[in-house]
Amino acid sequence: MTIQSGTQQIALTSPPPEESDRLLAEVNELLTSGTFDPKDSERLQQMVAALADSRGMIRLGFVEAFGKIGQAAAPYLMEGLANNPNPVIRRSCGKALAKISDPAAIPILINALLHDEDTVARSSAAGAVAKMGAPVVPALLEILGGSYEQAAKGHAAWALGFMAEEIAPQLYEAMGSDNPDVRTAVAGALAKIAGEEQEGQEQAEEAGRAIAILIKALEDPITSVRVEAAATLGQIRHQGAVTQLISLLDDPDLEVRRTAILALGKIGDRVALEPLQAKIAYEVEQIRAVAKLAISQIENN
């Protein structure tokens, strides 16, 4: 059964398996021979409908085929993601759009990330967003700085981290945002830049700039930013941050102190042993426990 939406038909049910098999075989043959007609709207609509197939490998086959077709398929996939009532189709449309990376899809992908009632469809949209690069960054920063659900902000932060190397200048600029949620997300995203093995001077300079921003963020007035910066520096095991992390052992916020201790344990510099041992004497039990763990990590490093 189908319904009409604009100029396209929307599938409500999956075609019979044998029809999907036949269609996929025909599409792959045409793609292999270079004779697929990207203007064949009927076939493209049939392919979208076939994304409702219950077999994961068949759905994957169509997703891969859409990726090979490219931009000509994007309008049909955008229509499917935006309006198809079948969540299985919406999920696969998002995955296919990730392979095409058409910037025209950004508004529809962002809307799906924010509002689709299906959790997996939202995740698929986030995966496609993360392939869009610089053009999608303003929308992601708007999500992080707005009054949206935490799940949506989590998707936005993940997408920024995934694209970090590609969008480094925008991340550096965003670290100056007045919104603490934006700064927190950026501090986490910078891990990919700061922690990469550097193969040239330009990459080394980028890593150095990211690390400098993270170290400065340890002094941020907002707790969540200090926590994320400390966690990121621990994740990349940056020896140069040890002194600043030790200073956070006296931070007024317990979570900041806890994160700094864990980061020092991961870095493994013996300079941190004495200040960590001092924590065992007078801190709350939660802090004493992580201090003992960090000391053990350093001693066994």
Side-chain angles (χ1 to χ4, degrees), residues 284-301:
V284 298
E285 176 56 32
Q286 182 180 354
I287 297 298
R288 291 201 302 269
V290 293
K292 291 176 182 176
L293 173 62
I295 289 169
S296 175
Q297 288 177 307
I298 294 170
E299 289 178 339
N300 294 318
N301 188 20

Side-chain angles (χ1 to χ4, degrees), residues 44-291:
L44 287 165
Q45 289 174 24
Q46 290 172 346
M47 290 175 65
V48 171
L51 292 174
D53 197 284
S54 62
R55 298 164 295 171
M57 291 304 297
I58 296 299
R59 295 197 302 273
L60 177 60
F62 280 109
V63 167
E64 295 288 345
F66 276 123
K68 293 174 183 177
I69 294 166
Q71 200 166 14
Y76 300 89
L77 295 167
M78 287 188 276
E79 174 74 14
L81 179 60
N83 296 314
N84 200 289
N86 188 330
V88 177
I89 289 181
R90 298 199 304 277
R91 296 169 188 174
S92 292
C93 284
K95 294 174 182 176
L97 286 167
K99 293 185 174 295
I100 297 172
S101 299
D102 183 354
I106 287 175
I108 287 172
L109 289 167
I110 292 294
N111 186 68
L113 185 157
L114 291 173
H115 303 301
D116 197 294
E117 62 186 21
D118 182 73
T119 302
V120 180
R122 292 198 298 273
S123 296
S124 294
V129 163
K131 299 291 185 68
M132 294 294 171
V136 80
V137 173
L140 294 176
L141 295 177
E142 182 180 346
I143 292 172
L144 289 165
S147 300
Y148 296 99
E149 293 182 359
Q150 202 57 43
K153 292 192 174 193
H155 282 312
W158 172 83
L160 288 179
F162 186 90
M163 300 183 291
E165 294 169 300
E166 182 181 353
I167 60 170
Q170 290 164 287
L171 291 178
Y172 301 151
E173 182 178 356
M175 200 62 193
S177 170
D178 292 334
N179 189 288
D181 287 345
V182 171
R183 299 200 303 277
T184 300
V186 171
L190 289 176
K192 191 170 183 181
I193 301 171
E196 285 289 317
E197 292 186 9
Q198 308 309 322
E199 298 178 355
Q201 182 177 352
E202 184 176 347
Q203 289 176 312
E205 289 175 354
E206 287 291 347
R209 185 173 182 183
I211 288 169
I213 290 171
L214 288 167
I215 290 176
K216 184 178 179 181
L218 295 176
E219 302 174 357
D220 197 281
I222 301 299
T223 296
S224 63
V225 181
R226 299 199 303 279
V227 167
E228 193 66 35
T232 300
L233 288 164
Q235 177 185 336
I236 66 173
R237 292 175 167 82
H238 182 61
Q239 294 278 343
V242 168
T243 300
Q244 290 86 351
L245 288 168
I246 288 174
S247 71
L248 289 186
L249 298 182
D250 295 318
D251 193 277
D253 186 87
L254 184 146
E255 186 59 25
V256 173
R257 300 199 302 276
R258 176 180 172 278
T259 306
I261 290 170
L262 291 172
L264 288 167
K266 291 177 181 178
I267 294 170
D269 193 321
R270 299 184 73 85
V271 171
L273 281 175
E274 185 175 344
L276 287 172
Q277 288 164 345
K279 289 287 145 184
I280 298 176
Y282 65 87
E283 267 283 11
V284 298
E285 176 56 32
Q286 182 180 354
I287 297 298
R288 291 201 302 269
V290 293

Side-chain angles (χ1 to χ4, degrees), residues 1-4 9-15 48-49 52 83-87 89:
M1 178 181 178
T2 60
I3 59 175
Q4 198 76 18
Q9 290 183 329
I10 292 180
L12 294 175
T13 57
S14 172
V48 171
N83 296 314
N84 200 289
N86 188 330
I89 289 181

